[in-house]
């Protein structure tokens, strides 16, 4: 019969948060900073990028796309062929999904023919993904291999990195590495707060601290460790199980003006006998894009306007936010444009503060692939004791002072 003091919910992180990626090291500017600081040499950094691409290529089943020799010695003709396969598979899939075909959206269609069509649609989707990603990875690999052989590479690496082709190759390589961890090593707090009246004793801070606790790290690993990664397995054509080692927790504020719940929220390492301080850090701001301002009525109007051209579905692996994809496709259709003219339509201008907390001593080095395993800030096996220490710290740091503040009792 314990009282519920607060609520927390954890979900997968958004893929594109630039200030978070900079914080972790998944950006070209972060890589450049590591080179300038002497942490990496230019050659070491670019060789690491090449290793990302090689690993990404190895994670794709290309048996029905090209030959092994094409992978070992990639050329522009191989890349052109892969891009053609990707376009063809995408067109075939879209032709299967015409209009508001709800059969393909159901998890358990009743008609056998619909099940076959749904499975075929997924197969075409991943054929498209495999060919497209393989083409990007091979094209980037060619560029970076050529870069490190330039005679002036060591002295002019920064200027070389500003070339369009090189910059694109770097971003592709970093995206390959990010894709390994975005769904397995990091989570986002989408609900975090105290239930009245515990908000008066700063229970929200307790919930935010407990989100970084060894209990959460342990439970996440227990629940998801050893599970099959659906998308990675479909790309590889065999079962892929990735580690469920949680090393980063992120969240965003409700508003852009600040958050008293996360500002300066920190657990000193000596307070809980940890290897490092645990702190919520302000990383930057979201850019204010999304679909929260697009009403249900508007969405229905856009679907109706597209008519038989509506090919948006909820098939797993299709991509994030069907609503966003519907908005983009319908605006392109209405404007009769082949380009993405939807950016301004998806801008709601409600920017939010991005916060992040590293919960391993080597969070960045682990997610950049330099370290094979995480070095957590405390003993995860003894997670109950570690979590109790966090609770005790909150009691001494905030609760003990707050209960002497008489106005809260009113």
């Amino acid at each position: 019969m314990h009282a519920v003091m607060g609520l927390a919910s954890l979900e997968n992180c958004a893929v594109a948060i630039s200030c978070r990626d900079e914080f972790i090291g998944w950006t070209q500017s972060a890589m450049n900073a590591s080179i300038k600081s002497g942490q990496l040499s230019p050659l070491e950094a670019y060789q690491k990028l090449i290793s990302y691409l090689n690993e990404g290529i190895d994670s794709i089943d290309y048996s029905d796309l090209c030959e092994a020799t094409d992978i070992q010695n990639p050329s522009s003709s191989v890349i052109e062929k892969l891009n053609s396969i990707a376009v063809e598979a995408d067109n075939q899939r879209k032709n299967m999904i015409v209009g508001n075909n709800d059969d393909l959206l159901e998890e358990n269609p009743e008609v056998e023919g619909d099940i076959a069509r749904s499975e075929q649609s997924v197969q075409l989707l991943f054929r498209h993904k495999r060919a497209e990603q393989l083409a990007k990875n091979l094209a980037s690999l060619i560029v970076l291999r050529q870069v490190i052989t330039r005679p002036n590479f060591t002295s002019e690496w920064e200027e070389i990195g500003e070339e369009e082709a090189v910059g694109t190759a770097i971003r592709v390589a970093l995206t390959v590495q990010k894709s390994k961890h975005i769904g397995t090593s990091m989570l986002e707090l989408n609900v975090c707060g105290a239930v009245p009246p515990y908000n008066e004793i700063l229970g929200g801070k307790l919930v935010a601290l407990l989100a970084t606790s060894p209990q959460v790290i342990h439970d996440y690993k227990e629940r998801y460790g050893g599970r099959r990664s659906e998308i990675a397995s479909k790309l590889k054509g065999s079962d892929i199980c990735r580690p469920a080692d949680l090393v980063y927790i992120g969240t965003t504020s409700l508003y852009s003006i600040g958050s008293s719940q996360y500002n300066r929220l920190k657990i000193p390492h000596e307070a809980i006998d940890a290897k490092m301080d645990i702190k919520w850090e302000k990383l930057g701001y979201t850019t204010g894009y999304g679909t929260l301002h697009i009403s249900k009525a508007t969405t229905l109007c856009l679907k109706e306007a597209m008519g038989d051209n509506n090919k948006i579905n909820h098939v797993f692996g299709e991509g994030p936010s069907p609503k966003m994809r519907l908005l983009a496709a319908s605006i392109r259709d209405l404007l009769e444009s082949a380009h993405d003219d939807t950016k301004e339509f998806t801008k709601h201008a409600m920017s939010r503060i991005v916060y992040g907390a590293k919960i391993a001593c080597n969070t960045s080095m682990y997610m950049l692939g330099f370290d094979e395993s995480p070095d957590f800030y405390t003993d995860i096996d003894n997670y109950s004791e570690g979590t109790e220490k966090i609770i005790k710290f909150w009691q001494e740091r905030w609760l003990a002072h707050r209960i002497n503040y008489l106005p809260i009792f009113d």
Side-chain angles (χ1 to χ4, degrees):
M1 300 298 293
H2 287 290
V4 175
M5 293 178 63
L7 300 172
S9 170
L10 291 158
E11 65 177 1
N12 281 343
C13 289
V15 174
I17 301 180
S18 55
C19 58
R20 177 207 62 202
D21 292 352
E22 180 79 15
F23 180 62
I24 293 171
W26 287 330
T27 63
Q28 185 175 357
S29 58
M31 183 191 76
N32 289 350
S34 296
I35 297 173
K36 290 177 181 178
S37 67
Q39 186 178 356
L40 293 173
S41 70
L43 184 59
E44 287 173 332
Y46 275 73
Q47 284 177 335
K48 197 65 183 176
L49 294 173
I50 290 172
S51 72
Y52 296 158
L53 292 170
N54 282 326
E55 193 170 346
I57 292 166
D58 188 55
S59 68
I60 298 173
D61 175 20
Y62 55 81
S63 59
D64 60 335
L65 303 175
C66 60
E67 302 296 329
T69 52
D70 295 330
I71 301 298
Q72 295 163 4
N73 300 294
S75 64
S76 57
S77 60
V78 171
I79 295 163
E80 187 177 340
K81 174 187 173 184
L82 290 169
N83 282 326
S84 296
I85 293 173
V87 170
E88 182 183 4
D90 191 42
N91 288 335
Q92 289 177 350
R93 179 186 58 83
K94 286 177 179 177
N95 289 334
M96 292 183 63
I97 309 168
V98 178
N100 300 320
N101 191 341
D102 293 331
D103 292 335
L104 286 173
L105 312 186
E106 296 177 5
E107 292 184 5
N108 298 300
E110 296 179 0
V111 183
E112 291 185 7
D114 291 333
I115 296 174
R117 288 182 65 212
S118 180
E119 290 177 351
Q120 188 179 355
S121 172
V122 172
Q123 289 173 1
L124 288 169
L125 170 66
F126 280 92
R127 180 175 172 81
H128 161 73
K129 282 180 176 289
R130 287 187 294 118
E132 184 179 61
Q133 289 187 21
L134 192 57
K136 285 182 179 179
N137 291 351
L138 289 175
S140 301
L141 186 64
I142 292 172
V143 170
L144 295 183
R145 279 177 175 175
Q146 291 174 346
V147 163
I148 61 173
T149 61
R150 293 189 192 182
N152 61 340
F153 169 68
T154 304
S155 59
E156 299 179 14
W157 62 270
E158 191 169 8
E159 292 81 0
I160 292 172
E162 292 176 359
E163 296 175 13
E164 184 177 354
V166 178
T168 299
I170 291 171
R171 288 191 293 274
V172 169
L174 289 169
T175 300
V176 169
Q177 180 64 15
K178 181 167 74 170
S179 66
K180 288 176 53 182
H181 292 281
I182 195 74
T184 58
S185 305
M186 52 203 299
L187 288 174
E188 191 88 2
L189 263 176
N190 63 339
V191 175
C192 181
V195 174
Y198 302 102
N199 55 319
E200 296 291 350
I201 56 171
L202 305 181
K205 289 186 180 292
L206 173 61
V207 178
L209 292 173
L210 288 176
T212 66
S213 67
Q215 175 86 51
V216 169
I217 299 171
H218 170 270
D219 289 356
Y220 179 73
K221 190 175 184 66
E222 282 289 303
R223 182 163 188 169
Y224 296 106
R227 282 200 181 185
R228 180 179 183 268
S229 175
E230 290 296 325
I231 293 179
S233 298
K234 283 183 169 65
L235 291 173
K236 179 64 176 174
S238 59
D239 286 349
I240 300 293
C241 296
R242 287 176 172 164
D245 291 318
L246 187 61
V247 297
Y248 172 90
I249 302 286
T251 193
T252 54
S253 63
L254 288 175
Y255 310 104
S256 61
I257 57 175
S259 171
S260 59
Q261 182 163 279
Y262 300 104
N263 283 344
R264 299 182 298 280
L265 187 58
K266 172 183 173 182
I267 311 174
H269 66 277
E270 62 270 14
I272 57 171
D273 300 320
K275 302 175 187 176
M276 57 179 278
D277 296 344
I278 299 299
K279 54 186 176 181
W280 283 98
E281 299 185 54
K282 180 180 175 180
L283 308 183
Y285 294 86
T286 61
T287 52
Y289 285 89
T291 60
L292 61 89
H293 59 304
I294 307 297
S295 70
K296 185 176 181 180
T298 303
T299 303
L300 291 172
C301 288
L302 290 172
K303 289 177 71 174
E304 185 176 347
M306 289 189 75
D308 291 341
N309 291 326
N310 181 17
K311 301 174 184 178
I312 306 301
N313 61 74
H314 294 69
V315 173
F316 180 73
E318 184 76 29
S321 182
K323 187 176 178 181
M324 181 75 86
R325 286 185 280 119
L326 172 66
L327 180 63
S330 59
I331 296 298
R332 279 198 301 268
D333 198 40
L334 289 169
L335 297 179
E336 298 181 348
S337 171
H339 303 289
D340 188 0
D341 296 306
T342 63
K343 192 171 184 180
E344 290 304 311
F345 292 97
T346 59
K347 186 175 183 179
H348 49 65
M350 289 178 277
S351 183
R352 297 177 178 182
I353 301 173
V354 178
Y355 294 94
K358 293 180 178 179
I359 50 179
C361 301
N362 62 341
T363 291
S364 290
M365 296 302 284
Y366 172 62
M367 292 210 277
L368 286 169
F370 290 96
D371 292 346
E372 291 187 5
S373 58
D375 178 18
F376 292 111
Y377 72 91
T378 189
D379 182 9
I380 304 305
D381 293 330
N382 196 11
Y383 59 89
S384 295
E385 182 180 334
T387 303
E388 286 296 328
K389 288 179 180 178
I390 293 176
I391 297 170
K392 184 179 179 182
F393 170 72
W394 171 80
Q395 291 173 333
E396 295 173 350
R397 170 65 179 82
W398 283 288
L399 178 61
H401 301 287
R402 192 69 174 172
I403 57 176
N404 291 322
Y405 181 59
L406 296 180
I408 70 168
F409 295 99
D410 295 331

